[in-house]
Amino acid sequence: LAKTTQPISMDSYEGQEVNITCSHNNIATNDYITWYQQFPSQGPRFIIQGYKTKVTNEVASLFIPADRKSSTLSLPRVSLSDTAVYYCLVGALSGSARQLTFGSGTQLTVLP
Amino acid sequence: NAGVTQTPKFRILKIGQSMTLQCAQDMNHNYMYWYRQDPGMGLKLIYYSVGAGITDKGEVPNGYNVSRSTTEDFPLRLELAAPSQTSVYFCASRPRQQNTEAFFGQGTRLTVV
């Protein structure tokens, strides 16, 4: 399983764009990159997933450079309700990588 | 379609007691997971299952047992509860297809005193 490294915490203000970067230097060829969001006292919720280049949905964008050793979750115009922990996961369903392993995540605090 | 349902939501146990945390999903997912989350920390994988009759250990399996007799249910058993098992427990499931999202339950908050 590829190990991921994220900042422990980030602060932002309402209306700003927030970028959270995740490092995954030993990502394997079959691995996808997935981000989850967790609010206090709730289970994590899927945000976005990608393999390479850029993926965008109604919530966020995910930027993955050509070497795939890092990825950046971009949240446009954050609001107070985006305050949460964001987890980056790397893995695939092939071989032994059936586990879904979370790192420590990034605590994003959005300030008024 | 209820998704992933965990019961109970809260429980207080005395040291040495046993209990079973229930998890059920109605999405016909093959893969199911149990996590624990200590205050201010990330999720630690306890056990997981890739289908009925198949279970495997995660990162922190000691003190826990699981079974998977049906696709829908994945109970987590605590034997001889200890204060170190005070945590919030989350169950999750996802389809077998490659790189699909996982769905989580609302959690069970367990306190061992």
Side-chain angles (χ1 to χ4, degrees):
Chain A
L1 297 172
K3 178 178 168 57
T4 60
T5 303
Q6 304 175 233
I8 294 174
S9 63
M10 295 180 69
D11 290 343
S12 182
Y13 291 95
E14 280 191 291
Q16 289 187 333
E17 178 185 72
V18 171
N19 295 311
I20 305 174
T21 297
C22 179
S23 297
H24 29 80
N25 290 320
N26 59 340
I27 188 169
T29 303
N30 291 337
D31 286 345
Y32 277 65
I33 300 152
T34 310
W35 286 80
Y36 285 81
Q37 174 191 57
Q38 185 182 27
F39 296 115
S41 302
Q42 294 187 25
R45 184 181 70 168
F46 173 90
I47 301 176
I48 197 166
Q49 183 180 77
Y51 184 80
K52 61 181 179 180
T53 62
K54 176 184 174 182
V55 179
T56 297
N57 62 22
E58 64 278 6
V59 177
S61 295
L62 179 60
F63 298 92
I64 306 168
D67 66 5
R68 302 197 333 119
K69 294 184 183 300
S70 67
S71 58
T72 299
L73 174 72
S74 181
L75 304 172
R77 297 180 297 282
V78 294
S79 64
L80 296 176
S81 62
D82 292 315
T83 293
V85 178
Y86 293 82
Y87 295 96
C88 165
L89 282 73
V90 173
L93 279 182
S94 60
S96 62
R98 295 172 178 176
Q99 298 187 29
L100 189 62
T101 304
F102 287 74
S104 299
T106 298
Q107 171 67 57
L108 172 65
T109 302
V110 180
L111 305 169
Chain B
N1 189 334
V4 179
T5 302
Q6 292 184 236
T7 55
K9 288 185 171 53
F10 304 93
R11 183 71 185 268
I12 299 175
L13 276 183
K14 293 184 178 179
I15 295 173
Q17 287 185 321
S18 301
M19 78 163 293
T20 299
L21 281 66
Q22 302 291 345
C23 176
Q25 52 93 7
D26 60 1
M27 297 172 282
N28 201 32
H29 289 169
N30 292 96
Y31 288 67
M32 295 189 74
Y33 306 84
W34 272 108
Y35 296 88
R36 61 175 288 172
Q37 186 172 36
D38 298 333
M41 305 296 287
L43 287 85
K44 295 291 186 184
L45 181 64
I46 305 172
Y47 272 95
Y48 67 102
S49 169
V50 300
I54 306 170
T55 62
D56 209 345
K57 296 178 180 179
E59 305 167 89
V60 290
N62 292 343
Y64 307 94
N65 279 300
V66 294
S67 60
R68 184 95 181 270
S69 57
T70 67
T71 299
E72 294 78 19
D73 300 299
F74 190 40
L76 177 71
R77 179 82 177 163
L78 278 72
E79 305 281 2
L80 299 174
S84 61
Q85 293 178 306
T86 294
S87 191
V88 179
Y89 292 83
F90 289 103
C91 177
S93 73
R94 69 174 175 176
R96 185 174 182 274
Q97 288 80 6
Q98 189 162 354
N99 301 310
T100 50
E101 68 175 277
F103 295 84
F104 283 78
Q106 288 301 300
T108 295
R109 184 175 298 274
L110 175 68
T111 303
V112 182
V113 297

